Amino acid sequence: MHIPLVDLQAQYTYLQKEIDQALARVVQKGDFIQGHDVSLFEKEFGQFLGGLSVASCGNGTDALYLALRALEIGPGDEVITTPHTFIATAETISQVGAIPVFVDIDPHTLLIDPKKISAALTAKTKAIIPVHLYGQMCPMDQIMAIAHKFNLKVIEDAAQAHGACWEGKGVGFWGDAATFSFFPGKNLGAYGDAGGVASQNVELIYKIKQIANHGRVEKYEHLVEGINSRLDTLQAAVLRVKLPHLPLWNKARARIAESYCRLLQDLPLQLPSIDPKATMVWHQFVIQVEERDTLRKLIEESGISTGIHYPIPLHLQKAFAYLGYRPGDFPIAEQAAKKILSLPIYPEMTQEQIASVCAALHKACSLLISS
Ligand SMILES: *Cc1c(COP(=O)(O)O)cnc(C)c1O
């Protein structure tokens, strides 16, 4: 039996009729750019999040760029974020001309450690981008307390956290804005690139829509220099079919995570640590283990696909060599990168598949112990 890390085919099979109809409707109507489904999706996704304004855009990377631009973060500014994330989080900070400043992570949750933020603050610090990695929100009460004290903007990178909460308050209700990716493998995925920004601030969302559409106020009148980052109507149509299923899909992910925790509890692995204040949406199920590479090889031999999110901390990426960081600067992130392993998790996963993954892990662990 082969078990993939994510199975997009299973979801399409389930929704095929509705998706095919939605796509055909757009093609027949021909409103490919800024069509009806785009504004409807923005409204519906805002409702899903609990009542936020939404600006859709081309992808989750642009969502970060647009939020930074609209919050007027630019040349000379410093923005604090985590080295344990996908490169987009930091790439966009330098795209607006600002400087990414990394802060080490919590060894249990693997999220940015608020206790370490103060030491990284300078007179130039303008914003924090906490990343709600794997579907768990960062300790937003602590992060917002720092932000208020030092007058910093906060952009929540929620590319992996559609519908997550902290202390019962949803993603996007804490910071100035939350950014989303609808990359196909995310909890809510399009059939190509797609993204969006959500906020309580209607004017900020208006500004983001403007920047994302060439800074337009009229067809050929441009208020600011913008970019072309509009959500395709075809993608909006797919997302609108999927969105009503997202709450149940997130619940299914939580049930799978629960099964994993129960079936793996006796193994010499570190299971995910969830803060009691967090409502998790389980984008990834990430274990930590010293002999990660050997274990990974063993379970892949049993047909189980795995992932590493992410193998190289951002401060050690060649792309960021100019920032001047060195190995040892963020020891917890560096250690985590060597130990993390993402197991298959997707809503359509069957109990049988979960059992197979766990059986492969049991077998691999006993081989590791006896060797
Ligand atoms: C996926 C992801 C992004 C980027 O989203 P794209 O839609 O691929 O541009 C940004 N941040 C995090 C944490 C992500 O997981």
Side-chain angles (χ1 to χ4, degrees):
M1 191 197 269
H2 169 71
I3 301 174
L5 197 55
V6 286
D7 186 351
L8 300 178
Q9 203 56 46
Q11 202 176 71
Y12 176 58
T13 307
Y14 175 60
L15 295 174
Q16 181 164 13
K17 214 174 127 201
E18 281 178 84
I19 285 180
D20 291 358
Q21 279 172 358
L23 290 172
R25 192 167 26 81
V26 176
V27 175
Q28 270 154 20
K29 204 168 167 201
D31 60 345
F32 302 112
I33 306 294
Q34 292 188 306
H36 196 42
D37 284 290
V38 174
S39 50
L40 287 175
F41 173 68
E42 288 174 341
K43 206 170 125 228
E44 290 160 4
F45 190 60
Q47 281 162 358
F48 164 82
L49 294 171
L52 291 174
S53 296
V54 171
S56 59
C57 63
N59 54 67
T61 307
D62 285 354
L64 286 158
Y65 171 85
L66 290 163
L68 285 161
R69 277 280 310 270
L71 290 166
E72 293 170 11
I73 311 296
D77 297 339
E78 292 178 0
V79 179
I80 289 175
T81 194
T82 165
H84 187 63
T85 178
F86 182 59
I87 193 166
T89 315
E91 237 173 13
T92 48
I93 297 170
S94 39
Q95 269 169 26
V96 299
I99 300 159
V101 174
F102 298 115
V103 164
D104 211 351
I105 55 173
D106 177 278
H108 305 288
T109 62
L110 307 180
L111 303 170
I112 192 167
D113 187 344
K115 293 191 295 296
K116 294 176 185 146
I117 291 178
S118 299
L121 294 170
T122 73
K124 292 178 181 166
T125 311
K126 287 288 154 57
I128 308 174
I129 306 185
V131 181
H132 305 321
L133 204 66
Y134 307 147
Q136 175 168 210
M137 279 184 70
C138 298
M140 290 309 291
D141 48 339
Q142 295 175 52
I143 290 170
M144 293 315 295
I146 299 166
H148 288 142
K149 190 166 164 196
F150 296 98
N151 196 23
L152 309 174
K153 304 288 186 200
V154 174
I155 299 169
E156 304 173 47
D157 183 340
Q160 304 189 6
H162 314 71
C165 294
W166 180 259
E167 291 180 334
K169 191 160 122 184
V171 63
F173 281 94
W174 291 91
D176 294 278
T179 62
F180 294 88
S181 165
F182 307 114
F183 183 85
K186 300 284 157 98
N187 286 33
L188 178 63
Y191 285 167
D193 280 309
V197 185
S199 176
Q200 291 178 277
N201 183 340
V202 181
E203 277 145 42
L204 187 76
I205 290 300
Y206 180 78
K207 208 165 152 187
I208 287 170
K209 285 183 180 173
Q210 204 163 53
I211 301 169
N213 187 22
H214 300 294
R216 272 195 174 112
V217 278
E218 284 295 331
K219 188 165 185 191
Y220 294 120
E221 189 189 341
H222 309 272
L223 185 70
V224 290
E225 265 187 84
I227 59 171
N228 177 355
S229 183
R230 298 172 300 227
L231 176 64
D232 284 354
T233 310
L234 283 167
Q235 300 303 344
V238 171
L239 291 167
R240 287 192 64 220
V241 171
K242 289 190 175 195
L243 181 60
H245 300 275
L246 184 55
L248 275 178
W249 287 340
N250 281 344
K251 277 196 189 122
R253 287 173 180 276
R255 272 200 305 276
I256 296 159
E258 230 171 78
S259 300
Y260 272 146
C261 289
R262 193 179 61 248
L263 297 168
L264 301 175
Q265 61 184 343
D266 299 328
L267 294 181
L269 312 165
Q270 199 178 322
L271 294 172
S273 284
I274 309 307
D275 192 293
K277 289 181 181 174
T279 311
M280 177 78 171
V281 294
W282 294 102
H283 176 60
Q284 300 289 356
F285 188 94
V286 177
I287 58 171
Q288 293 185 69
V289 57
E290 294 293 338
E291 291 172 88
R292 191 263 319 273
D293 294 330
T294 319
L295 185 85
R296 182 179 202 202
K297 197 166 160 279
L298 287 170
I299 66 168
E300 297 229 333
E301 277 165 13
S302 314
I304 315 295
S305 296
T306 56
I308 298 173
H309 301 97
Y310 296 90
I312 306 173
L314 295 189
H315 67 288
L316 301 180
Q317 290 283 0
K318 287 208 183 78
F320 289 124
Y322 72 92
L323 292 173
Y325 290 106
R326 304 198 170 286
D329 282 347
F330 304 109
I332 300 173
E334 290 168 31
Q335 272 306 306
K338 295 191 182 107
K339 296 196 298 187
I340 47 172
L341 187 67
S342 309
L343 302 183
I345 188 163
Y346 48 90
E348 298 78 11
M349 231 182 146
T350 62
Q351 281 302 323
E352 193 193 3
Q353 289 174 316
I354 299 165
S356 300
V357 175
C358 295
L361 278 162
H362 276 269
K363 194 173 137 203
C365 284
S366 59
L367 281 171
L368 276 178
I369 290 163
S370 64
S371 67

